[in-house]
Amino acid sequence: MTVVVLLGAPGAGKGTQAEILRKRLNIPHVATGDLFRAAVGEGSAIGLEARRYMEHGQLVPDEITIRMVLERLSRPDAAGGAILDGFPRTAAQARALDEALAGQGARVEHALLIDVPTEDLVARLSGRWICRASGHVYHAIANPPAVPGVCDLDGSELHQRDDDRAETIRARMEGQLGALADVVEHYRAQGLLRSVDGCYSISVVAEALLVQLGQAAEREA
Ligand code: ADP
Ligand code: ADP
């Protein structure tokens, strides 16, 4: 079982890189933000609860988040592991994940931090466009679609997320970066943390992440 945790501030490039790693490692990409947005879209009880926090840029409470992720990880396609994007986001979530994996004789194998200075994150989030059909991610300048407003991969319309508005971006930075530091520390203490400079292009960052995964695999061999 290969469990890879991708860490980074909002806008660091976790979702973008998780899609690249998913194809290379052949394990599913599990993004809590995507799971919550799907629940909001369905109007389920989790969605209604989560939306109250998401629209203010706050973290959804641990109990709901942990339950949702563990349910997702129990599905058959995640039997060989998963790339976790946006989870864990608090130290309590990290501990809950450790305990759940230990119960299956497994553990987080790699914790990869995509490191991007806070001042660059605002430009990334305010230029982010995602597609309606599957949440494929673009950037107005750094990664534009071939045809403006249309997803290259499935032809659906591109839109900006409600929480990528300036005031919610600010709230997310203020409310979430402290907890990210706690999670980084959790994995540093376990000797699992690897950090990659996220300021380079998407493909250069992807290569750096794959190098970290390869080096870790060599050390274990
Ligand atoms: P980003 O890609 O900008 O980092 P996400 O799509 O991962 O944002 O998450 C969107 C929102 O969903 C977060 O601002 C938060 O409200 C909620 N969320 C996502 N993951 C978690 C989590 N692990 N714990 C609590 N809240 C979460
Ligand atoms: P996260 O999941 O961490 O919130 P995303 O993968 O959604 O981040 O990326 C945030 C925005 O930044 C998107 O518009 C994406 O296209 C863009 N982006 C991702 N990686 C890079 C990069 N290395 N350089 C420039 N822009 C990037």
Side-chain angles (χ1 to χ4, degrees), residues 9-12 14 37 53-59 89 118 121-122 124-126 128 161-180:
K14 301 180 296 298
R37 278 184 291 278
Y53 297 92
M54 294 168 78
E55 65 191 9
H56 298 297
Q58 293 165 356
L59 291 175
R89 247 171 160 111
T118 310
L121 297 170
V122 178
R124 290 203 180 178
L125 292 173
S126 48
R128 173 159 69 182
R161 275 169 43 178
D162 287 344
D163 59 348
D164 281 346
R165 279 178 283 115
E167 67 272 23
T168 323
I169 291 176
R170 256 195 314 277
R172 283 153 73 199
M173 297 301 164
E174 282 164 17
Q176 299 189 17
L177 294 184
L180 171 65

Side-chain angles (χ1 to χ4, degrees), residues 14-211:
K14 301 180 296 298
T16 301
Q17 296 299 334
E19 275 300 293
I20 298 172
L21 296 181
R22 171 180 76 82
K23 292 178 193 142
R24 296 283 195 104
L25 304 179
N26 207 18
I27 47 177
H29 166 196
V30 172
T32 36
D34 290 348
L35 294 175
F36 281 134
R37 278 184 291 278
V40 169
E42 287 161 10
S44 69
I46 283 191
L48 291 176
E49 177 74 5
R51 191 172 62 182
R52 295 172 33 208
Y53 297 92
M54 294 168 78
E55 65 191 9
H56 298 297
Q58 293 165 356
L59 291 175
V60 179
D62 285 335
E63 197 256 331
I64 306 172
T65 308
I66 291 165
R67 202 159 18 99
M68 178 182 72
V69 172
L70 295 186
E71 189 281 320
R72 174 66 189 86
L73 292 179
S74 71
R75 294 200 211 147
D77 68 326
I83 299 160
L84 293 177
D85 155 13
F87 182 90
R89 247 171 160 111
T90 64
Q93 292 177 14
R95 287 193 296 270
L97 178 64
D98 285 350
E99 278 169 31
L101 291 174
Q104 303 172 48
R107 63 177 175 90
V108 170
E109 286 188 18
H110 313 284
L112 301 174
L113 172 67
I114 306 175
D115 199 11
V116 176
T118 310
E119 55 268 28
D120 295 348
L121 297 170
V122 178
R124 290 203 180 178
L125 292 173
S126 48
R128 173 159 69 182
W129 289 81
I130 62 170
C131 86
R132 293 245 180 243
S134 320
H136 295 125
V137 181
Y138 297 86
H139 189 274
I141 296 160
N143 183 26
V147 178
V150 180
C151 179
D152 292 351
L153 299 172
D154 59 33
S156 72
E157 180 202 12
L158 302 184
H159 70 109
Q160 290 196 285
R161 275 169 43 178
D162 287 344
D163 59 348
D164 281 346
R165 279 178 283 115
E167 67 272 23
T168 323
I169 291 176
R170 256 195 314 277
R172 283 153 73 199
M173 297 301 164
E174 282 164 17
Q176 299 189 17
L177 294 184
L180 171 65
D182 295 342
V183 176
V184 165
E185 202 37 54
H186 177 93
Y187 291 113
R188 197 194 308 278
Q190 294 185 353
L192 290 176
L193 187 77
R194 305 284 174 263
S195 183
V196 157
D197 186 343
C199 293
Y200 294 100
S201 69
I202 291 170
S203 57
V204 169
V205 175
E207 278 314 312
L209 290 170
L210 286 163
V211 166

